[in-house]
Amino acid sequence: MKNLLLTLALSLGCLSYSSAQVKTVPQHSADVGIAPIQQGNWMVGGSIGSLGYSFEAESFNIQVSPRAGYFVSDGVAVGAQANLGFTSVNNGKNEWGYGIAPFVRYYFPGGASATGRFFGQGDVGIAGSSAGDDVSLNVGLNAGYAHFITQTVALEAMLGYNYSKANISSSSDKASGLGISVGFQIYLPGSN
């Protein structure tokens, strides 16, 4: 009888313990609507993996671009980004690059879902490299998608065209190419 009661008590204890286990699933999306991109909010983050190819120099580059912006109206942010990168050139003269560029980003209202938004971004800035003393003018046009994993954090992917001109008065020393990047943004509410 004691064995039966002990077996029953252990079985009941194991059953209640196993049903008490809570399984948590990592959050992979959040319904946010327009809340993160309202006028007065801030965004900070950047592209942590940006790959590109230059048509003229036949070079491959990778860069990191920290970014911060302010929403001047619903869905429109202005800000600045820093560009820090490495370029591998065919002739073996690898270069380190740096630059800064103000940007404007527009979040499209059409095609948006509760957990994501398409956007377009344009930037114009200056850049330099370890290869020389020339400062170049850089222009970029990008399209991307922000997928919100929480109410304030979004993962992003961007595809774009970039143009660079090292000497404004000369028709040479220019480069253009395509790039793709992934990154994240943190959307901070403003003091409304």
Side-chain angles (χ1 to χ4, degrees):
M1 185 67 148
K2 285 184 183 180
N3 286 340
L4 180 62
L5 286 175
L6 182 60
T7 305
L8 184 61
L10 280 174
S11 299
L12 186 60
C14 289
L15 183 62
S16 65
Y17 177 76
S18 65
S19 66
Q21 296 299 312
V22 177
K23 294 183 181 181
T24 58
V25 177
Q27 185 170 344
H28 57 80
S29 64
D31 293 342
V32 294
I34 194 169
I37 59 171
Q38 289 179 334
Q39 180 178 357
N41 289 354
W42 289 88
M43 61 182 241
V44 294
S47 299
I48 54 174
S50 179
L51 303 174
Y53 183 78
S54 172
F55 298 127
E56 289 79 15
E58 295 184 357
S59 63
F60 173 78
N61 65 62
I62 185 167
Q63 71 180 23
V64 175
S65 300
R67 177 180 305 120
Y70 177 76
F71 286 90
V72 294
S73 68
D74 288 353
V76 178
V78 296
Q81 67 184 17
N83 299 315
L84 309 167
F86 174 77
T87 302
S88 173
V89 184
N90 262 354
N91 63 11
K93 295 182 181 178
N94 296 332
E95 302 173 10
W96 292 96
Y98 53 88
I100 189 161
F103 71 86
V104 175
R105 181 181 281 198
Y106 176 72
Y107 289 83
F108 296 102
S113 69
T115 61
R117 296 247 174 216
F118 287 100
F119 62 87
Q121 178 175 311
D123 54 77
V124 176
I126 56 171
S129 73
S130 61
D133 295 332
D134 289 340
V135 174
S136 63
L137 171 71
N138 289 348
V139 178
L141 293 173
N142 300 287
Y145 183 76
H147 176 75
F148 288 88
I149 56 174
T150 70
Q151 295 291 323
T152 58
V153 177
L155 299 177
E156 294 183 347
M158 281 195 304
L159 174 66
Y161 174 77
N162 298 296
Y163 175 80
S164 177
K165 187 156 178 64
N167 188 344
I168 305 301
S169 62
S170 169
S171 64
S172 62
D173 295 335
K174 64 181 181 178
S176 60
L178 296 176
I180 187 168
S181 65
V182 294
F184 69 95
Q185 291 296 331
I186 300 172
Y187 296 83
L188 305 170
S191 57
N192 293 338

